[in-house]
Amino acid sequence: MQSLKIPLLGAAIGLAAALPASASSSAWYNSEGGKVRLVTSGKPDDAGRIYGVLDIALKPGWKTYWRDPGDAGVPPQLDVSASTNIADATLSFPAPQRHDDGYGKWAGYNYPVSLPVTFTLAAPNQPAVIDADVFLGICESICIPVQTRLSVDPASDPDNADDTALVKASFTALPAAAKPDFGIKVLPGDHETLVVEASFPGDPQAADFFVAGERDYMFGTPSRSEKDGKLIFTVPILDRPSTTPTDGGLHYTLTSSAGAVEGLLPFP
C-alpha cells in the first residue's frame, strides 16, 4: 500500500450507530463522507459461491479508491476470517477514473459505487454467516479511513429482489475480459519502466491505462506517446520486490470511450 499523504482525521470506528439491517444485507455503517454496507444475492451457486457487493454511498464531494489508489490513498480491503463457513472473499472493481485533486494523483471513484465481492464457501452445502472486517478510505480534503465489521446472514432473505438486482447490475458493470483488439501488449522496457501498447475502440484521447501495484510493486502515473499509429503507455516502476514473482501477475484495466477491459500482466 502506498503511504497516505493526505492529513488523517482519524479512523472512523464506531462513530455512528448503524441502521437496522434488512434482507440479505448488512446494516449501513455511517461515516462523515458517506455510508457503507454489504449486500448479497442470498443463495450460493452450484460451485459454492455467494455473490455480493460492498455498497459505498458517497456524499457529494467525497471519493474512494480503486485497487491501487495512486500517489496517496487507501485501497479497499475485506477480511472474512471471522466468518462462519466462508473460505475466501474476492473483491472486483469497476473501471476507475484518474484524478488530480491538488493533493496527489489517484485512481478511483468520486461517486457512489458498488464493488462486487465473490464469497467462496468452505462447505458448499452448509449454512454460512459473513462477518467481514472492512477497511477503506473515504476522503474529501482530508481522508477518513473507515474501519468496521459488516455482518450478513445470506439466508435471511435469499429471494430479495432488490438485493439480487443490485448484485447482478454491479457484476454486469465490471470491465470485460481483455481480447486482441481491446487490450494491451507488453513491450520491452527496463528495470524502472513498464511499457505497453494499447489496442482499443474509440477516441485515443479518451483511453487510459491503470495497473495495480501489488506484490511489493509500486507504479507512477503512466505517460502517453504514439508509435506507428499505436498508443503507448510508459509507467514508472517506483518500487519492486527484490525477487520477481513467478506466479500470477498484475491486475490492469484499460478504459476507452467504448468501455473497459481488464486482465493480468506478467510481472516486469
Side-chain angles (χ1 to χ4, degrees), residues 74-90:
V74 179
Q77 300 170 53
L78 199 64
D79 180 356
V80 294
S81 58
S83 301
T84 300
N85 196 31
I86 299 292
D88 188 35
T90 302

Side-chain angles (χ1 to χ4, degrees), residues 1 23 69:
M1 183 192 311

Side-chain angles (χ1 to χ4, degrees), residues 131-193:
D131 288 305
D133 292 315
V134 176
F135 185 74
L136 71 155
I138 294 181
C139 306
E140 194 185 32
S141 55
I142 49 87
C143 194
I144 304 175
V146 171
Q147 186 171 351
T148 188
R149 176 171 290 184
L150 301 176
S151 298
V152 182
D153 178 358
S156 62
D157 189 4
D159 299 313
N160 185 280
D162 291 338
D163 288 353
T164 300
L166 174 61
V167 172
K168 182 178 180 180
S170 299
F171 274 88
T172 300
L174 288 174
K179 49 190 178 181
D181 61 346
F182 194 174
I184 60 91
K185 179 173 70 173
V186 179
L187 300 181
D190 55 40
H191 198 72
E192 298 179 350
T193 55

